Amino acid sequence: MNLKSRFILLTLLPLAGILLSCDDADDQREFEQQAMNSPSGYTETDASGNVINEDPDDWQIGPMFSTTVDVQDPAFPNPTTGDDVTINLLVMSHDAVHGLYVYHRDDRGYFRNIYRDDTSPLPPTIHQIRFDPTDLSVDGTFDTARGLHRIFIYDYNDNLITYGDVKVGED
């Protein structure tokens, strides 16, 4: 390889890396914008976490976590009739996720924290996220928690890892 070819290669490689990282950032931003849509449908699960009916919009992994995190078990039971809701999140590599913050958006559009783990980094293992469905209520009662709620799971840098919908109460 001649000197001119090396120069071109060394000049273009960093530029290619920057362009690829922009695509990743754009994909993550698009994923986060999609998550802000209103909840619609939900992945139906039983009390053991078995998926009965999957909603393809629920529990996707954000592009920046696609090789390091997986939803082992989506929210269960879903719908819930009062039992705690559990989500099992698998962290597959060390230093992949720093802290877990779980929110839902209330009827007024405010984000309310319903679970928090400040461990940084999270060790590679299954992390069980568990919350009471009344945490999705403005007044702490099951009756006002009824309905469909979008759940957001972020790291402590405010990067969205995944999101999905939980139904409280039966039809």
Side-chain angles (χ1 to χ4, degrees), residues 92-109:
M92 296 181 274
S93 65
H94 189 71
D95 208 31
V97 179
H98 296 268
L100 284 177
Y101 299 90
V102 181
Y103 300 94
H104 87 95
R105 190 172 48 209
D106 69 19
D107 295 339
R108 297 168 296 180

Side-chain angles (χ1 to χ4, degrees), residues 66 120 128:
S66 65
S120 183
Q128 188 175 76

Side-chain angles (χ1 to χ4, degrees), residues 1-152:
M1 184 180 288
N2 65 30
L3 186 59
K4 184 177 179 182
S5 298
R6 283 185 193 175
F7 176 76
I8 291 171
L9 183 62
L10 291 174
T11 304
L12 292 179
L13 279 177
L15 181 59
I18 290 169
L19 292 174
L20 288 175
S21 68
C22 287
D23 285 347
D24 291 344
D26 289 344
D27 290 346
Q28 181 69 24
R29 224 177 348 270
E30 184 178 316
F31 173 75
E32 292 178 0
Q33 288 173 346
Q34 179 183 346
M36 295 305 139
N37 291 332
S38 297
S40 61
Y42 62 95
T43 296
E44 184 180 1
T45 56
D46 66 17
S48 299
N50 299 307
V51 174
I52 297 166
N53 189 16
E54 186 174 6
D55 178 356
D57 186 47
D58 280 353
W59 311 114
Q60 301 172 52
I61 298 295
M64 72 185 299
F65 297 99
S66 65
T67 61
T68 58
V69 178
D70 190 36
V71 175
Q72 189 74 28
D73 298 300
F76 69 92
N78 197 11
T80 180
T81 56
D83 296 327
D84 280 357
V85 176
T86 302
I87 302 165
N88 290 324
L89 194 68
L90 173 63
V91 175
M92 296 181 274
S93 65
H94 189 71
D95 208 31
V97 179
H98 296 268
L100 284 177
Y101 299 90
V102 181
Y103 300 94
H104 87 95
R105 190 172 48 209
D106 69 19
D107 295 339
R108 297 168 296 180
Y110 296 114
F111 282 81
R112 295 180 34 170
N113 184 268
I114 57 174
Y115 177 90
R116 180 180 181 151
D117 181 343
D118 289 320
T119 306
S120 183
L122 292 172
T125 190
I126 294 175
H127 296 271
Q128 188 175 76
I129 298 165
R130 183 177 224 136
F131 59 90
D132 186 314
T134 62
D135 292 342
L136 305 176
S137 165
V138 293
D139 65 2
T141 65
F142 186 81
D143 283 338
T144 58
R146 288 182 183 277
L148 200 57
H149 302 270
R150 177 136 305 165
I151 306 300
F152 304 87

